[in-house]
Structures are given as C-alpha cells and as structure tokens.
Amino acid sequence: MDEIEAGDWKARLKAYQNIYQMMINPSKELLTQLLSNLPNYLSDIHPNCQQIALLICEKFFEVSPYVNYPQISQVLINNCLGSKQQAVDWAIALISKCLRENRKEVMDQLINGLEKKGTQIILNVISIIVAHLATLTSQNTEEALDIIAKLKPL
C-alpha cells in the first residue's frame, strides 16, 4: 500500500484500482485496512483517484460487516460534494446510504456548519435532505419537524 501514499497520482490510481479488484472477494484484512484508510482515499484531490475511491466505498458498504457511516459521510461531505459532477452524484448516493443507516448523526453532520460551506455544497446537502424528508412517513413527523427547525435559521 506504499503506492497510495506516493505523490504520483498515477501510482495512487493504480493502487486504488487494485484495491477495487480485490473488493470482488475481499479478505478480512483488506476490510479492516479499509475501515481506517478509506477516509484518506476519499479525500484524494485528484478527480480520477477520487472516483475510484468512491467505487471502493460503494463496494465496502456492500460487503463490510462494520462501517463507520458518520465518519465516511463527514469525509464525503467535506471532500466530495464540491468535486466534479460524476463524483458528486456518487457522493450523494453514498451519503444517502449513510443517512439511512445512521439518521441522527449523519443528519447533524449535513446541517452543522452548512452556512460556512460553498454554494455548490449547500445545494447538494439540501438535495440530500429534501430526498430524505420525502421518504419520511407520518410516523416520522417529529424527525421531519426537527430537521425543518434546524434548517430555518439558515
């Protein structure tokens, strides 16, 4: 995994592609390693590397018995929602998955500090929140009202 820490984006891309291939039948060791390293991969500033990291994240969600959804969603919010459109679309889908798995913490992450974010990130966060609100039923009225109350000051 030394290649991933290299300054050469092509070497990182190749390393990410290798990890993605290993995700077809991942070992416990790989999943454990991804648990701690995936946030760094998702924070990659090169768009091609970040796209493969998003694919790795999607596979990780599918196969890992343990996912730290709040940690991953925070990285996605901070590092991917302001990226190129294709990466943003994947990030929105992954954040939505995090939100379904851990509603309270992930919603707090989406809302807290929103006023300090750039316009593109704010619009993307609002689209995630609106999509989530649309899935709520009358049984979730309290949750919906709480979300709306948190958004009002913005």
Side-chain angles (χ1 to χ4, degrees):
M1 294 281 175
D2 293 335
E3 293 176 275
I4 294 176
E5 297 176 20
D8 179 13
W9 72 267
K10 290 178 183 177
R12 290 194 317 274
L13 180 64
K14 184 175 177 164
Y16 292 161
Q17 289 168 333
N18 289 337
I19 292 170
Y20 184 68
Q21 289 300 316
M22 289 188 292
M23 290 299 290
I24 293 169
N25 188 16
S27 66
K28 287 183 181 180
E29 181 182 85
L30 176 63
L31 294 177
T32 300
Q33 196 171 29
L34 283 173
L35 192 59
S36 61
N37 292 339
L38 188 56
N40 295 330
Y41 304 164
L42 292 168
S43 300
D44 200 302
I45 59 171
H46 195 278
N48 293 341
C49 295
Q50 190 178 64
Q51 286 180 0
I52 297 295
L54 288 163
L55 290 172
I56 293 169
C57 184
E58 182 178 54
K59 284 287 186 196
F60 183 72
F61 282 4
E62 291 172 11
V63 299
S64 180
Y66 177 77
V67 177
N68 187 338
Y69 290 104
Q71 178 192 35
I72 296 294
S73 65
Q74 190 66 60
V75 172
L76 291 167
I77 293 164
N78 292 337
N79 297 293
C80 300
L81 287 184
S83 300
K84 292 188 175 187
Q85 191 59 47
Q86 186 177 14
V88 168
D89 292 342
W90 284 334
I92 287 173
L94 293 169
I95 293 167
S96 295
K97 167 75 172 162
C98 292
L99 187 56
R100 284 189 300 275
E101 297 296 329
N102 192 320
R103 290 166 105 150
K104 172 94 175 84
E105 284 186 64
V106 175
M107 184 57 72
D108 287 347
Q109 290 173 342
L110 286 166
I111 294 171
N112 293 338
L114 189 58
E115 68 279 356
K116 298 174 190 163
K117 305 283 187 199
T119 304
Q120 181 182 1
I121 294 173
I122 292 171
L123 291 173
N124 290 325
V125 166
I126 290 172
S127 74
I128 294 166
I129 293 171
V130 167
H132 176 69
L133 285 170
T135 67
L136 299 179
T137 66
S138 59
Q139 296 174 339
N140 308 109
T141 303
E142 190 174 317
E143 179 182 352
L145 292 174
D146 185 49
I147 292 168
I148 292 167
K150 288 177 181 177
L151 289 175
K152 275 186 180 180
L154 301 174

